[in-house]
Amino acid sequence: MSKFGELIETKVPVLLDFYAEWDDACKGMHAVLRDVAAALGDKARVIKIDVEKNNELAEALRVKGLPTLMIYKNGEMKWRQSGEQDANTLIGLVKEYV
């Protein structure tokens, strides 16, 4: 959990993707998130978190549906949504917090 605090305590926005390898919707988001990361460059970070390997964190954040996406900045959650999103929507959302 302490590492999670280090991840989100940044001045640049952090887009978190809570996913599972077995989930088809999550698999579809891999390419979308690659595009988002490429478009944002060093203005933001995109971090994928496997709920199977980080169960305690997923439970603490009440991640129920997959994929669940969150945007943090300066340690504060700014946005959260479950389900698939398109790259342009995510890029626009993250840019609001740059």
Side-chain angles (χ1 to χ4, degrees):
M1 280 295 227
S2 63
K3 285 184 179 160
F4 180 70
E6 292 170 22
L7 284 178
I8 63 170
E9 281 290 340
T10 62
K11 289 183 167 101
V12 297
V14 180
L15 173 62
L16 300 176
D17 169 36
F18 286 85
Y19 75 98
E21 290 294 337
W22 48 262
D23 186 85
D24 288 337
C26 293
K27 288 178 189 171
M29 287 299 297
H30 290 318
V32 170
L33 291 165
R34 246 192 326 269
D35 292 346
V36 171
L40 293 169
D42 60 0
K43 292 185 180 87
R45 294 177 65 199
V46 176
I47 299 172
K48 298 167 63 58
I49 299 174
D50 187 336
V51 295
E52 302 281 314
K53 294 178 182 156
N54 298 281
N55 196 20
E56 192 177 309
L57 176 61
E59 283 184 18
L61 292 171
R62 295 183 175 90
V63 173
K64 303 283 185 233
L66 294 175
T68 293
L69 301 155
M70 301 176 195
I71 298 173
Y72 277 86
K73 184 171 181 179
N74 296 323
E76 183 182 334
M77 186 187 299
K78 301 293 187 179
W79 177 86
R80 176 182 175 142
Q81 184 80 41
S82 291
E84 294 178 79
Q85 302 289 320
D86 65 86
N88 288 334
T89 300
L90 290 172
I91 291 165
L93 284 163
V94 173
K95 281 186 174 177
E96 289 179 30
Y97 303 106
V98 170

Coordinates of all heavy atoms in Angstrom, one line a residue:
M1 N 0.8 -1.2 0.0 CA 0.0 0.0 0.0 C 0.9 1.3 0.0 O 0.5 2.2 -0.6 CB -0.9 0.0 1.2 CG -2.2 -0.8 1.1 SD -3.3 -0.3 -0.2 CE -4.8 -0.4 0.8
S2 N 2.0 1.2 0.7 CA 2.8 2.4 0.7 C 3.3 2.8 -0.7 O 3.5 3.9 -1.0 CB 4.0 2.2 1.7 OG 4.8 1.2 1.3
K3 N 3.6 1.8 -1.5 CA 4.0 2.0 -2.9 C 2.9 2.7 -3.6 O 3.2 3.6 -4.5 CB 4.4 0.7 -3.6 CG 5.8 0.2 -3.1 CD 6.2 -1.0 -3.9 CE 7.5 -1.5 -3.4 NZ 7.8 -2.9 -3.7
F4 N 1.7 2.4 -3.4 CA 0.5 3.0 -4.0 C 0.6 4.5 -3.7 O 0.4 5.3 -4.6 CB -0.8 2.4 -3.6 CG -2.0 3.0 -4.3 CD1 -2.2 2.8 -5.6 CD2 -2.8 3.8 -3.5 CE1 -3.3 3.4 -6.2 CE2 -3.9 4.4 -4.2 CZ -4.2 4.2 -5.5
G5 N 0.8 4.9 -2.5 CA 0.9 6.3 -2.1 C 1.9 7.0 -2.9 O 1.7 8.1 -3.4
E6 N 3.1 6.4 -3.1 CA 4.1 7.0 -3.9 C 3.7 7.1 -5.4 O 4.1 8.1 -6.0 CB 5.4 6.1 -3.8 CG 6.0 6.1 -2.5 CD 7.1 5.0 -2.4 OE1 7.7 4.6 -3.4 OE2 7.4 4.6 -1.2
L7 N 2.9 6.2 -5.9 CA 2.5 6.3 -7.3 C 1.6 7.5 -7.5 O 1.7 8.1 -8.6 CB 1.7 5.0 -7.7 CG 2.5 3.7 -7.9 CD1 1.5 2.6 -8.2 CD2 3.5 3.9 -9.1
I8 N 0.7 7.7 -6.6 CA -0.3 8.8 -6.8 C 0.0 10.1 -6.3 O -0.7 11.1 -6.6 CB -1.7 8.3 -6.3 CG1 -1.6 8.1 -4.7 CG2 -2.2 7.0 -7.0 CD1 -3.0 7.9 -4.1
E9 N 1.1 10.2 -5.5 CA 1.5 11.5 -4.9 C 2.4 12.3 -5.9 O 3.5 12.6 -5.6 CB 2.2 11.3 -3.6 CG 1.3 11.1 -2.4 CD 0.5 12.3 -2.0 OE1 0.9 13.4 -2.3 OE2 -0.5 12.1 -1.3
T10 N 1.9 12.5 -7.1 CA 2.7 13.2 -8.1 C 2.0 14.4 -8.6 O 0.8 14.5 -8.5 CB 3.0 12.3 -9.3 OG1 1.8 11.9 -9.9 CG2 3.8 11.0 -8.8
K11 N 2.8 15.3 -9.2 CA 2.2 16.6 -9.7 C 1.6 16.3 -11.1 O 0.7 17.1 -11.5 CB 3.3 17.6 -9.9 CG 3.7 18.2 -8.5 CD 4.8 19.3 -8.7 CE 5.0 20.0 -7.4 NZ 6.1 19.7 -6.6
V12 N 2.0 15.3 -11.8 CA 1.4 14.9 -13.1 C 0.3 13.9 -12.8 O 0.4 13.1 -11.9 CB 2.4 14.3 -14.1 CG1 3.5 15.3 -14.4 CG2 3.0 13.0 -13.6
P13 N -0.8 14.0 -13.6 CA -1.9 13.1 -13.4 C -1.4 11.6 -13.6 O -0.6 11.4 -14.5 CB -2.9 13.5 -14.5 CG -2.4 14.8 -15.0 CD -1.0 14.9 -14.7
V14 N -2.1 10.7 -12.9 CA -1.8 9.3 -13.0 C -3.1 8.6 -13.4 O -4.1 8.7 -12.6 CB -1.2 8.7 -11.7 CG1 -0.9 7.2 -11.9 CG2 0.0 9.4 -11.3
L15 N -3.1 7.9 -14.5 CA -4.3 7.2 -14.9 C -4.0 5.7 -14.5 O -3.0 5.1 -15.0 CB -4.5 7.3 -16.5 CG -5.5 6.4 -17.1 CD1 -6.9 6.7 -16.5 CD2 -5.6 6.5 -18.6
L16 N -4.8 5.2 -13.7 CA -4.7 3.8 -13.2 C -5.7 2.9 -13.9 O -6.9 3.3 -14.0 CB -4.9 3.7 -11.7 CG -4.0 4.5 -10.8 CD1 -4.4 4.4 -9.3 CD2 -2.6 4.1 -11.0
D17 N -5.3 1.8 -14.3 CA -6.2 0.8 -15.0 C -6.1 -0.5 -14.1 O -5.1 -1.1 -14.1 CB -5.7 0.5 -16.4 CG -6.4 -0.7 -17.0 OD1 -7.6 -0.9 -16.7 OD2 -5.7 -1.5 -17.7
F18 N -7.2 -0.7 -13.4 CA -7.3 -2.0 -12.7 C -7.9 -3.0 -13.6 O -9.0 -2.8 -14.1 CB -8.2 -1.8 -11.4 CG -7.6 -1.0 -10.4 CD1 -7.6 0.4 -10.4 CD2 -6.9 -1.6 -9.3 CE1 -6.9 1.1 -9.4 CE2 -6.2 -0.9 -8.3 CZ -6.3 0.5 -8.4
Y19 N -7.2 -4.1 -13.8 CA -7.6 -5.1 -14.8 C -7.3 -6.5 -14.3 O -6.7 -6.7 -13.3 CB -6.8 -4.8 -16.1 CG -5.3 -5.3 -16.0 CD1 -4.9 -6.5 -16.5 CD2 -4.3 -4.5 -15.4 CE1 -3.6 -7.0 -16.4 CE2 -3.0 -5.0 -15.3 CZ -2.7 -6.2 -15.8 OH -1.4 -6.7 -15.7
A20 N -7.8 -7.5 -15.1 CA -7.5 -8.9 -14.9 C -7.2 -9.5 -16.2 O -7.8 -9.2 -17.2 CB -8.7 -9.6 -14.2
E21 N -6.2 -10.4 -16.3 CA -5.8 -11.0 -17.5 C -6.9 -11.8 -18.2 O -7.0 -11.9 -19.4 CB -4.6 -11.9 -17.3 CG -3.3 -11.2 -16.9 CD -2.7 -10.4 -18.1 OE1 -3.1 -10.7 -19.3 OE2 -2.0 -9.5 -17.8
W22 N -7.8 -12.4 -17.4 CA -8.9 -13.2 -17.9 C -10.1 -12.5 -18.5 O -10.9 -13.0 -19.1 CB -9.3 -14.2 -16.9 CG -9.6 -13.6 -15.5 CD1 -8.8 -13.5 -14.5 CD2 -10.8 -12.9 -15.1 NE1 -9.3 -12.9 -13.4 CE2 -10.6 -12.5 -13.8 CE3 -12.0 -12.6 -15.8 CZ2 -11.5 -11.7 -13.1 CZ3 -13.0 -11.9 -15.0 CH2 -12.7 -11.5 -13.7
D23 N -10.1 -11.1 -18.3 CA -11.3 -10.3 -18.6 C -11.1 -9.8 -20.0 O -10.2 -9.1 -20.4 CB -11.4 -9.2 -17.6 CG -12.7 -8.4 -17.9 OD1 -13.8 -8.9 -17.3 OD2 -12.7 -7.4 -18.6
D24 N -12.1 -10.1 -20.9 CA -12.0 -9.7 -22.3 C -12.0 -8.2 -22.5 O -11.3 -7.6 -23.3 CB -13.2 -10.3 -23.1 CG -12.9 -11.8 -23.4 OD1 -11.8 -12.2 -23.3 OD2 -13.9 -12.5 -23.6
A25 N -12.9 -7.5 -21.7 CA -12.9 -6.0 -21.8 C -11.6 -5.4 -21.4 O -11.2 -4.4 -22.0 CB -14.1 -5.5 -20.9
C26 N -10.9 -6.0 -20.4 CA -9.6 -5.5 -20.0 C -8.6 -5.7 -21.1 O -7.8 -4.8 -21.4 CB -9.1 -6.2 -18.8 SG -10.1 -5.8 -17.3
K27 N -8.7 -6.8 -21.8 CA -7.8 -7.1 -22.9 C -7.9 -6.1 -24.0 O -7.0 -5.6 -24.6 CB -8.0 -8.5 -23.5 CG -7.5 -9.6 -22.6 CD -7.9 -11.0 -23.2 CE -7.6 -12.1 -22.2 NZ -8.1 -13.4 -22.6
G28 N -9.2 -5.7 -24.3 CA -9.4 -4.7 -25.3 C -8.9 -3.3 -24.9 O -8.6 -2.5 -25.8
M29 N -8.7 -3.0 -23.6 CA -8.2 -1.7 -23.1 C -6.7 -1.6 -23.3 O -6.2 -0.5 -23.3 CB -8.6 -1.5 -21.7 CG -10.1 -1.2 -21.4 SD -10.6 0.3 -22.3 CE -9.6 1.5 -21.4
H30 N -6.0 -2.7 -23.4 CA -4.5 -2.7 -23.5 C -4.1 -1.7 -24.6 O -3.2 -0.8 -24.4 CB -3.9 -4.0 -23.7 CG -4.0 -5.0 -22.6 ND1 -3.8 -4.5 -21.3 CD2 -4.3 -6.3 -22.5 CE1 -3.9 -5.6 -20.4 NE2 -4.3 -6.6 -21.2
A31 N -4.6 -1.9 -25.8 CA -4.2 -1.0 -27.0 C -4.7 0.4 -26.8 O -3.9 1.4 -27.1 CB -4.8 -1.6 -28.3
V32 N -5.8 0.6 -26.2 CA -6.3 2.0 -25.9 C -5.4 2.7 -25.0 O -5.0 3.8 -25.2 CB -7.8 1.9 -25.3 CG1 -8.2 3.3 -24.8 CG2 -8.8 1.4 -26.3
L33 N -5.0 2.0 -23.9 CA -4.1 2.6 -22.9 C -2.7 2.9 -23.5 O -2.1 3.9 -23.1 CB -4.0 1.7 -21.7 CG -5.3 1.7 -20.9 CD1 -5.3 0.6 -19.9 CD2 -5.5 3.0 -20.2
R34 N -2.2 2.0 -24.4 CA -1.0 2.3 -25.1 C -1.1 3.6 -25.9 O -0.2 4.4 -25.9 CB -0.6 1.1 -26.1 CG 0.6 0.4 -25.6 CD 1.1 -0.6 -26.7 NE 0.1 -1.2 -27.5 CZ -0.5 -2.4 -27.3 NH1 -0.2 -3.0 -26.2 NH2 -1.4 -2.9 -28.1
D35 N -2.2 3.8 -26.6 CA -2.4 5.0 -27.4 C -2.5 6.2 -26.4 O -1.9 7.3 -26.8 CB -3.7 4.9 -28.2 CG -3.6 3.9 -29.3 OD1 -2.5 3.4 -29.6 OD2 -4.7 3.5 -29.8
V36 N -3.2 6.1 -25.3 CA -3.3 7.2 -24.4 C -1.9 7.6 -23.8 O -1.5 8.8 -23.8 CB -4.2 6.8 -23.2 CG1 -4.2 7.9 -22.1 CG2 -5.6 6.6 -23.7
A37 N -1.1 6.6 -23.4 CA 0.2 6.8 -22.9 C 1.1 7.5 -24.0 O 1.8 8.5 -23.7 CB 0.9 5.5 -22.5
A38 N 1.0 7.1 -25.2 CA 1.8 7.7 -26.3 C 1.4 9.1 -26.6 O 2.2 10.0 -26.8 CB 1.6 6.8 -27.6
A39 N 0.1 9.4 -26.5 CA -0.4 10.7 -26.8 C -0.1 11.7 -25.7 O 0.2 12.9 -25.9 CB -1.9 10.7 -27.0
L40 N 0.0 11.2 -24.4 CA 0.2 12.1 -23.3 C 1.7 12.3 -23.0 O 2.1 13.3 -22.4 CB -0.5 11.6 -22.1 CG -2.0 11.7 -22.2 CD1 -2.6 10.9 -21.0 CD2 -2.5 13.1 -22.2
G41 N 2.5 11.3 -23.4 CA 4.0 11.4 -23.2 C 4.3 11.6 -21.7 O 3.8 10.9 -20.9
D42 N 5.1 12.6 -21.4 CA 5.5 12.8 -20.0 C 4.6 13.8 -19.3 O 4.9 14.1 -18.1 CB 7.0 13.3 -20.0 CG 7.2 14.6 -20.7 OD1 6.2 15.2 -21.3 OD2 8.3 15.1 -20.7
K43 N 3.5 14.1 -19.9 CA 2.5 15.0 -19.2 C 1.7 14.2 -18.2 O 1.0 14.8 -17.3 CB 1.5 15.6 -20.2 CG 2.2 16.6 -21.1 CD 1.2 17.3 -22.0 CE 1.8 18.3 -22.9 NZ 2.3 17.7 -24.1
A44 N 1.7 12.9 -18.3 CA 0.9 12.0 -17.4 C 1.5 10.6 -17.4 O 2.4 10.3 -18.2 CB -0.5 11.9 -17.8
R45 N 1.1 9.8 -16.4 CA 1.6 8.4 -16.3 C 0.3 7.5 -16.4 O -0.7 7.8 -15.9 CB 2.2 8.2 -15.0 CG 3.5 9.0 -14.8 CD 4.2 8.8 -13.5 NE 4.6 7.4 -13.3 CZ 4.9 6.8 -12.2 NH1 4.8 7.5 -11.1 NH2 5.3 5.6 -12.1
V46 N 0.6 6.4 -17.1 CA -0.5 5.4 -17.2 C 0.1 4.1 -16.6 O 1.1 3.6 -16.9 CB -0.8 5.1 -18.7 CG1 -1.9 4.0 -18.8 CG2 -1.4 6.3 -19.4
I47 N -0.7 3.6 -15.6 CA -0.2 2.5 -14.8 C -1.3 1.4 -14.7 O -2.4 1.7 -14.4 CB 0.2 2.9 -13.3 CG1 1.3 4.0 -13.4 CG2 0.6 1.7 -12.5 CD1 1.6 4.6 -12.1
K48 N -0.9 0.2 -15.1 CA -1.8 -0.9 -15.1 C -1.6 -1.7 -13.8 O -0.5 -2.0 -13.4 CB -1.6 -1.8 -16.3 CG -1.8 -1.0 -17.6 CD -1.3 -1.8 -18.8 CE -2.0 -3.1 -19.0 NZ -3.4 -3.1 -19.2
I49 N -2.7 -2.0 -13.1 CA -2.6 -2.8 -11.9 C -3.5 -4.0 -12.0 O -4.7 -3.9 -12.2 CB -3.1 -1.9 -10.7 CG1 -2.2 -0.6 -10.6 CG2 -3.1 -2.7 -9.4 CD1 -2.7 0.4 -9.6
D50 N -2.8 -5.2 -11.9 CA -3.5 -6.5 -12.0 C -4.2 -6.7 -10.6 O -3.6 -6.8 -9.6 CB -2.5 -7.5 -12.3 CG -3.1 -8.9 -12.5 OD1 -4.2 -9.2 -12.1 OD2 -2.4 -9.7 -13.2
V51 N -5.6 -6.8 -10.7 CA -6.3 -7.0 -9.4 C -6.0 -8.4 -8.8 O -6.1 -8.5 -7.6 CB -7.8 -6.9 -9.6 CG1 -8.2 -5.4 -10.0 CG2 -8.4 -7.8 -10.6
E52 N -5.6 -9.4 -9.6 CA -5.3 -10.7 -9.0 C -4.0 -10.6 -8.2 O -3.9 -11.3 -7.2 CB -5.0 -11.7 -10.2 CG -6.2 -11.9 -11.1 CD -7.3 -12.8 -10.6 OE1 -6.9 -13.8 -10.0 OE2 -8.5 -12.4 -10.7
K53 N -3.1 -9.8 -8.6 CA -1.8 -9.6 -7.9 C -1.9 -8.5 -6.8 O -1.0 -8.5 -5.9 CB -0.7 -9.3 -8.8 CG -0.4 -10.5 -9.8 CD 0.7 -10.1 -10.8 CE 0.9 -11.2 -11.8 NZ 1.5 -10.8 -13.0
N54 N -2.9 -7.7 -6.9 CA -3.0 -6.5 -5.9 C -4.4 -6.5 -5.3 O -5.1 -5.5 -5.3 CB -2.7 -5.2 -6.7 CG -1.3 -5.2 -7.2 OD1 -0.4 -4.9 -6.4 ND2 -1.1 -5.5 -8.5
N55 N -4.8 -7.7 -4.9 CA -6.2 -7.9 -4.3 C -6.5 -6.9 -3.2 O -7.6 -6.4 -3.1 CB -6.4 -9.3 -3.9 CG -7.8 -9.7 -3.8 OD1 -8.7 -9.0 -4.3 ND2 -8.1 -10.7 -3.0
E56 N -5.5 -6.8 -2.3 CA -5.7 -5.9 -1.1 C -6.0 -4.5 -1.5 O -6.9 -3.8 -1.0 CB -4.5 -6.0 -0.2 CG -4.7 -5.4 1.2 CD -3.4 -5.6 2.0 OE1 -2.9 -6.7 2.1 OE2 -3.0 -4.6 2.6
L57 N -5.2 -4.0 -2.5 CA -5.4 -2.6 -3.0 C -6.8 -2.5 -3.7 O -7.5 -1.5 -3.4 CB -4.3 -2.2 -3.9 CG -4.4 -0.9 -4.6 CD1 -4.4 0.2 -3.5 CD2 -3.3 -0.7 -5.6
A58 N -7.1 -3.5 -4.5 CA -8.4 -3.4 -5.2 C -9.6 -3.4 -4.3 O -10.5 -2.7 -4.5 CB -8.5 -4.6 -6.2
E59 N -9.5 -4.2 -3.2 CA -10.5 -4.2 -2.2 C -10.6 -2.9 -1.5 O -11.7 -2.4 -1.2 CB -10.3 -5.4 -1.2 CG -10.8 -6.7 -1.8 CD -10.7 -7.8 -0.8 OE1 -10.6 -7.6 0.4 OE2 -10.7 -9.0 -1.2
A60 N -9.5 -2.3 -1.1 CA -9.4 -1.0 -0.4 C -10.1 0.1 -1.2 O -10.7 1.0 -0.6 CB -8.0 -0.7 0.0
L61 N -9.9 0.0 -2.5 CA -10.4 1.0 -3.4 C -11.8 0.6 -3.9 O -12.4 1.3 -4.8 CB -9.5 1.3 -4.6 CG -8.2 2.0 -4.2 CD1 -7.2 2.0 -5.4 CD2 -8.4 3.4 -3.7
R62 N -12.3 -0.5 -3.4 CA -13.7 -1.0 -3.8 C -13.8 -1.2 -5.3 O -14.8 -0.7 -5.9 CB -14.8 0.0 -3.3 CG -14.8 0.0 -1.8 CD -16.0 0.9 -1.3 NE -16.1 0.8 0.2 CZ -15.5 1.6 1.0 NH1 -14.7 2.6 0.5 NH2 -15.7 1.5 2.3
V63 N -12.8 -1.8 -5.9 CA -12.9 -2.1 -7.3 C -13.8 -3.3 -7.5 O -13.4 -4.4 -7.0 CB -11.5 -2.3 -7.9 CG1 -11.6 -2.8 -9.4 CG2 -10.6 -1.1 -7.8
K64 N -14.9 -3.1 -8.1 CA -15.9 -4.2 -8.3 C -15.9 -4.6 -9.8 O -15.8 -5.8 -10.1 CB -17.3 -3.8 -7.9 CG -17.4 -3.3 -6.5 CD -17.4 -4.5 -5.5 CE -17.6 -4.0 -4.1 NZ -16.6 -4.5 -3.2
G65 N -16.1 -3.7 -10.7 CA -16.2 -4.0 -12.1 C -14.8 -3.8 -12.8 O -14.0 -3.1 -12.3
L66 N -14.6 -4.5 -13.9 CA -13.4 -4.5 -14.6 C -13.7 -4.1 -16.1 O -14.7 -4.5 -16.6 CB -12.6 -5.8 -14.6 CG -12.1 -6.2 -13.2 CD1 -11.5 -7.6 -13.3 CD2 -11.1 -5.3 -12.6
P67 N -12.8 -3.3 -16.7 CA -11.7 -2.6 -16.1 C -12.3 -1.4 -15.3 O -13.3 -0.9 -15.6 CB -10.9 -2.1 -17.2 CG -11.9 -2.0 -18.4 CD -12.9 -3.1 -18.1
T68 N -11.6 -1.0 -14.2 CA -11.9 0.2 -13.5 C -10.7 1.2 -13.7 O -9.6 0.8 -13.5 CB -12.1 0.0 -12.0 OG1 -13.3 -0.8 -11.8 CG2 -12.3 1.3 -11.2
L69 N -11.0 2.4 -14.2 CA -10.0 3.4 -14.4 C -10.2 4.5 -13.4 O -11.3 4.9 -13.1 CB -10.2 3.9 -15.9 CG -10.1 2.8 -16.9 CD1 -10.9 3.2 -18.2 CD2 -8.7 2.5 -17.3
M70 N -9.0 5.1 -13.0 CA -9.0 6.2 -12.0 C -7.9 7.2 -12.5 O -6.9 6.8 -13.0 CB -8.7 5.7 -10.6 CG -9.7 4.7 -10.1 SD -9.1 4.1 -8.5 CE -10.1 2.7 -8.3
I71 N -8.2 8.4 -12.2 CA -7.2 9.5 -12.4 C -6.9 10.1 -11.0 O -7.8 10.5 -10.3 CB -7.7 10.6 -13.4 CG1 -7.9 9.9 -14.8 CG2 -6.6 11.7 -13.5 CD1 -8.6 10.9 -15.8
Y72 N -5.6 10.1 -10.7 CA -5.2 10.7 -9.4 C -4.2 11.9 -9.8 O -3.5 11.8 -10.8 CB -4.4 9.7 -8.6 CG -5.2 8.8 -7.7 CD1 -5.8 7.7 -8.2 CD2 -5.5 9.2 -6.4 CE1 -6.5 6.8 -7.4 CE2 -6.3 8.3 -5.6 CZ -6.8 7.2 -6.1 OH -7.6 6.4 -5.3
K73 N -4.2 12.9 -8.9 CA -3.2 14.0 -9.0 C -3.0 14.5 -7.6 O -3.9 14.7 -6.9 CB -3.7 15.1 -9.9 CG -2.6 16.1 -10.1 CD -3.0 17.2 -11.1 CE -1.8 18.1 -11.3 NZ -2.1 19.1 -12.3
N74 N -1.7 14.6 -7.3 CA -1.3 15.0 -5.9 C -2.0 14.2 -4.8 O -2.4 14.7 -3.8 CB -1.7 16.5 -5.7 CG -0.9 17.4 -6.6 OD1 0.3 17.2 -6.9 ND2 -1.5 18.5 -7.1
G75 N -2.1 12.9 -5.1 CA -2.7 12.0 -4.1 C -4.2 11.9 -4.0 O -4.7 11.2 -3.2
E76 N -4.8 12.7 -4.8 CA -6.3 12.8 -4.7 C -7.0 12.3 -6.0 O -6.6 12.5 -7.1 CB -6.7 14.3 -4.6 CG -8.1 14.6 -4.4 CD -8.4 16.1 -4.4 OE1 -7.5 16.9 -4.0 OE2 -9.5 16.5 -4.7
M77 N -8.0 11.4 -5.7 CA -8.7 10.9 -6.9 C -9.6 12.0 -7.5 O -10.3 12.7 -6.9 CB -9.7 9.7 -6.4 CG -10.3 9.1 -7.6 SD -11.6 7.8 -7.1 CE -10.6 6.7 -6.2
K78 N -9.4 12.1 -8.8 CA -10.1 13.2 -9.6 C -11.2 12.6 -10.4 O -12.2 13.3 -10.7 CB -9.1 13.9 -10.5 CG -7.9 14.6 -9.8 CD -8.4 15.7 -9.0 CE -7.2 16.5 -8.4 NZ -7.7 17.6 -7.6
W79 N -11.1 11.4 -10.8 CA -12.1 10.8 -11.7 C -12.0 9.3 -11.6 O -11.0 8.7 -11.3 CB -11.8 11.2 -13.1 CG -12.7 10.6 -14.2 CD1 -13.9 11.0 -14.6 CD2 -12.4 9.4 -15.0 NE1 -14.4 10.2 -15.6 CE2 -13.5 9.2 -15.8 CE3 -11.4 8.5 -15.0 CZ2 -13.6 8.2 -16.7 CZ3 -11.4 7.4 -15.9 CH2 -12.5 7.3 -16.7
R80 N -13.2 8.6 -11.7 CA -13.2 7.1 -11.6 C -14.4 6.6 -12.5 O -15.5 7.2 -12.5 CB -13.4 6.7 -10.2 CG -13.6 5.2 -10.0 CD -13.8 4.9 -8.6 NE -14.1 3.5 -8.4 CZ -13.7 2.7 -7.4 NH1 -13.0 3.3 -6.5 NH2 -14.0 1.4 -7.4
Q81 N -14.1 5.5 -13.2 CA -15.2 4.9 -14.1 C -14.8 3.5 -14.3 O -13.7 3.1 -14.4 CB -15.2 5.7 -15.4 CG -16.3 5.2 -16.4 CD -17.6 5.8 -16.0 OE1 -17.7 7.0 -15.7 NE2 -18.6 5.1 -16.1
S82 N -15.9 2.7 -14.2 CA -15.7 1.2 -14.6 C -16.2 1.0 -16.0 O -17.2 1.7 -16.4 CB -16.5 0.3 -13.6 OG -15.9 0.4 -12.3
G83 N -15.6 0.1 -16.7 CA -16.0 -0.2 -18.0 C -15.0 0.3 -19.1 O -14.2 1.1 -18.7
E84 N -15.2 -0.1 -20.3 CA -14.3 0.3 -21.4 C -14.5 1.8 -21.7 O -15.6 2.3 -21.7 CB -14.5 -0.5 -22.6 CG -14.2 -2.0 -22.4 CD -14.5 -2.8 -23.6 OE1 -13.7 -2.8 -24.6 OE2 -15.5 -3.5 -23.6
Q85 N -13.4 2.4 -22.1 CA -13.4 3.8 -22.5 C -12.6 3.9 -23.8 O -11.7 3.1 -24.0 CB -12.8 4.7 -21.4 CG -13.4 4.7 -20.1 CD -14.8 5.3 -20.1 OE1 -15.0 6.4 -20.7 NE2 -15.7 4.7 -19.4
D86 N -12.9 4.9 -24.6 CA -12.0 5.1 -25.8 C -10.9 6.0 -25.5 O -10.9 6.8 -24.5 CB -12.9 5.6 -27.0 CG -13.4 7.0 -26.8 OD1 -12.7 7.9 -27.1 OD2 -14.6 7.1 -26.3
A87 N -9.9 5.9 -26.3 CA -8.6 6.7 -26.1 C -8.9 8.2 -26.0 O -8.3 8.9 -25.2 CB -7.6 6.4 -27.2
N88 N -9.7 8.7 -27.0 CA -9.9 10.2 -27.0 C -10.6 10.7 -25.7 O -10.2 11.8 -25.2 CB -10.7 10.6 -28.2 CG -9.9 10.4 -29.5 OD1 -8.7 10.5 -29.5 ND2 -10.6 10.2 -30.6
T89 N -11.5 9.9 -25.2 CA -12.2 10.3 -24.0 C -11.1 10.4 -22.8 O -11.1 11.3 -22.1 CB -13.3 9.3 -23.6 OG1 -14.3 9.3 -24.7 CG2 -14.0 9.7 -22.3
L90 N -10.3 9.3 -22.7 CA -9.3 9.3 -21.6 C -8.3 10.4 -21.8 O -7.9 11.0 -20.8 CB -8.7 7.9 -21.6 CG -9.6 6.7 -21.1 CD1 -8.9 5.4 -21.3 CD2 -10.0 6.9 -19.7
I91 N -7.8 10.6 -23.0 CA -6.8 11.7 -23.2 C -7.4 13.0 -22.8 O -6.8 13.8 -22.1 CB -6.4 11.7 -24.7 CG1 -5.6 10.5 -25.0 CG2 -5.6 13.0 -25.0 CD1 -5.4 10.2 -26.5
G92 N -8.7 13.3 -23.1 CA -9.4 14.5 -22.8 C -9.5 14.6 -21.3 O -9.3 15.7 -20.7
L93 N -9.9 13.6 -20.6 CA -10.0 13.6 -19.2 C -8.7 13.9 -18.5 O -8.7 14.7 -17.5 CB -10.6 12.3 -18.7 CG -12.1 12.0 -18.9 CD1 -12.5 10.6 -18.8 CD2 -12.9 12.9 -17.9
V94 N -7.7 13.2 -18.9 CA -6.4 13.4 -18.2 C -5.9 14.8 -18.4 O -5.3 15.4 -17.5 CB -5.4 12.3 -18.7 CG1 -4.0 12.6 -18.2 CG2 -5.8 10.9 -18.3
K95 N -6.1 15.3 -19.7 CA -5.6 16.7 -20.0 C -6.2 17.7 -19.1 O -5.6 18.8 -18.9 CB -5.8 17.0 -21.4 CG -4.8 16.3 -22.4 CD -4.9 16.8 -23.8 CE -3.8 16.2 -24.6 NZ -3.9 16.6 -26.0
E96 N -7.4 17.5 -18.6 CA -8.1 18.4 -17.7 C -7.2 18.6 -16.4 O -7.4 19.7 -15.7 CB -9.5 17.9 -17.2 CG -10.5 18.0 -18.3 CD -11.8 17.4 -17.9 OE1 -12.1 17.5 -16.7 OE2 -12.5 16.9 -18.7
Y97 N -6.4 17.7 -16.1 CA -5.6 17.7 -14.8 C -4.2 18.0 -15.0 O -3.4 18.0 -14.0 CB -5.9 16.5 -14.0 CG -7.3 16.2 -13.7 CD1 -8.0 15.2 -14.4 CD2 -8.0 17.0 -12.8 CE1 -9.4 15.1 -14.2 CE2 -9.4 16.9 -12.6 CZ -10.1 15.9 -13.3 OH -11.4 15.7 -13.1
V98 N -3.7 18.2 -16.2 CA -2.3 18.4 -16.5 C -1.9 19.8 -16.0 O -2.6 20.7 -16.1 CB -2.0 18.3 -18.0 CG1 -0.6 18.8 -18.3 CG2 -2.2 16.9 -18.5

